[in-house]
Amino acid sequence: MDHKIKTIGILTSGGDAPGMNAAVRAVTRTALFNGINVKGIYKGFNGLMSGNMKNLTLRDVSGILERGGTCLYSARCPEFNSDEGVEKGKLACQKAGIDALVVCGGDGSFRGARDLSLKGVPCIGIPCTIDNDIAATEYSIGYDTAINTVVKNIDKLRDTSQSHDRCSVVEVMGRNCGDIALRSAICDGAVSFLVPEIEYDLERDIINKMRTTLGTGKSHFIVIVAEGVTQADPKFEGDEPMDAARIAAYIQEKTGVEARATVIGHVQRGGSPSARDRVIASEMGHYAVELLMKGIGNRIVTRQGSTTTDVDILEGLKMEKTIDINLVRVANEISI
């Protein structure tokens, strides 16, 4: 790869995440500071293929640091799953004079970046997803803000649960990753939580815990369920997946405690990014441009502890995400 980059393209793809704008701002300003042009590509890989892009200036990225969502908009692009779509993207880069591409998104977006890299377009992936489900990095942009949104909502639900001696069963996002559910369970003192990575039994993991806690004098409860929990409990007929409403009905039937289901939903994606997300997004965006200036492409920017580093995009996509078993143990032992 020729490290004399003249123009960098940047796009946001997949689900939006708070902090995406901070990453776009950091990439743009770092590049411009070093004499590199930046083309902002609108609506992800769709915009790349259709040429929906513009040259970004310093002022174009002013006032976006504190905003949620993405100023470049986002869209999923099934066409980019085909070789024809990727080839179309490569030709679009050549036509626009884009020497390298920064892709802000999750695993699906990085697969598109990988395929484009294999066709000779240097790409850098910046992990942006509230799910925190990218195995190559310990932290993805948007995760901290999403956790704080969940905690604030459950704090409010707790007031009502306590007032009515009720159990609130709360469904949170995370797709097939239980990180949001696990950490919000600790933050909000949930009596139990269900995550996709660990098999569960409703009687053992919720009902028995609630009965024990009722015996100590507590009469209101929080149970947190990750949306990716699809295992059907063998106590139920059929193979329908679990959800908050089904679990709430079961809890009320077995314990006599009134139970209500709440799905927090897409508010977890929005809102002004937290200080942590703004700082890490800025650092990752700056790091991505530095890699390209050194002639290094085809990488995913990652966070390991307090250090920003990078991994090969091909290797990064082969890694498998695991849940923090020690944190699971902590959550279980302090939920009594």
Side-chain angles (χ1 to χ4, degrees):
M1 169 184 166
D2 182 0
H3 68 275
K4 293 181 180 178
I5 298 292
K6 294 181 180 178
T7 300
I8 292 174
I10 182 168
L11 60 82
T12 54
S13 176
D16 60 306
M20 276 184 162
N21 282 328
V24 171
R25 175 180 180 271
V27 168
T28 301
R29 292 195 167 182
T30 304
L32 293 175
F33 179 84
N34 288 281
I36 300 170
N37 297 322
V38 180
K39 286 187 180 290
I41 300 164
Y42 293 90
K43 298 188 177 181
F45 290 109
N46 282 323
L48 175 64
M49 291 188 293
S50 65
N52 186 6
M53 59 185 77
K54 66 168 287 187
N55 291 319
L56 296 179
T57 68
L58 291 173
R59 300 285 70 81
D60 286 324
V61 293
S62 293
I64 67 171
L65 186 64
E66 70 279 9
R67 286 166 47 192
T70 163
C71 65
L72 294 179
Y73 301 92
S74 185
R76 303 192 188 277
C77 184
E79 186 181 356
F80 219 75
N81 292 327
S82 68
D83 185 68
E84 292 79 7
V86 178
E87 185 65 30
K88 191 174 178 181
K90 174 188 174 181
L91 293 175
C93 286
Q94 292 174 345
K95 182 178 179 180
I98 293 173
D99 302 307
L101 191 67
V102 176
V103 176
C104 304
D107 276 343
S109 304
F110 292 168
R111 282 191 285 273
R114 172 202 62 193
D115 294 342
L116 205 52
S117 293
L118 292 173
K119 286 191 175 291
V121 179
C123 294
I124 301 291
I126 297 179
C128 299
T129 166
I130 68 166
D131 300 338
N132 203 41
D133 61 350
I134 300 174
T137 182
E138 293 179 3
Y139 185 86
S140 61
I141 297 166
Y143 175 59
D144 184 66
T145 306
I147 285 284
N148 281 289
T149 298
V150 169
V151 169
K152 287 177 183 177
N153 278 275
I154 296 178
D155 284 348
K156 294 178 180 180
L157 276 172
R158 179 183 292 282
D159 294 341
T160 296
S161 296
Q162 184 170 10
S163 298
H164 294 272
D165 287 339
R166 182 181 291 165
C167 176
S168 287
V169 182
V170 185
E171 183 177 305
V172 300
M173 297 181 79
R175 200 170 56 172
N176 296 316
C177 177
D179 281 7
I180 291 177
L182 171 59
R183 284 165 174 77
S184 59
I186 293 173
C187 290
D188 278 294
V191 69
S192 185
F193 60 93
L194 304 181
V195 294
E197 296 91 339
I198 301 174
E199 289 191 7
Y200 66 87
D201 177 274
L202 292 182
E203 197 72 26
R204 177 196 67 209
D205 297 324
I206 298 180
I207 304 304
N208 289 346
K209 282 188 174 183
M210 285 184 61
R211 286 174 178 154
T212 298
T213 308
L214 282 165
T216 67
K218 186 171 182 177
S219 55
H220 64 279
F221 305 89
I222 300 291
V223 173
I224 299 179
V225 183
E227 66 178 354
V229 173
T230 56
Q231 166 198 338
D233 192 285
K235 294 181 182 63
F236 294 96
E237 294 182 1
D239 57 357
E240 293 182 34
M242 285 293 101
D243 59 25
R246 239 181 139 199
I247 293 169
Y250 186 77
I251 288 172
Q252 186 163 319
E253 175 191 346
K254 292 295 182 178
T255 67
V257 176
E258 182 186 6
R260 299 285 182 89
T262 299
V263 179
I264 297 181
H266 281 82
V267 296
Q268 293 163 88
R269 286 199 183 280
S272 181
S274 67
R276 186 182 188 198
D277 274 326
R278 296 184 199 192
V279 171
I280 293 179
S282 298
E283 188 173 351
M284 284 185 166
H286 184 274
Y287 189 96
V289 176
E290 284 194 326
L291 284 175
L292 292 173
M293 289 172 60
K294 293 174 184 176
I296 301 171
N298 314 328
R299 311 290 290 182
I300 298 174
V301 179
T302 68
R303 191 79 173 177
Q304 306 299 335
S306 60
T307 302
T308 296
T309 183
D310 57 281
V311 298
D312 181 89
I313 198 167
L314 300 177
E315 294 302 315
L317 286 171
K318 293 177 184 176
M319 298 178 183
E320 293 186 8
K321 174 71 176 178
T322 58
I323 200 162
D324 187 335
I325 296 301
N326 182 63
L327 204 56
V328 170
R329 182 173 60 84
V330 170
N332 282 323
E333 292 185 7
I334 64 175
S335 66
I336 57 175

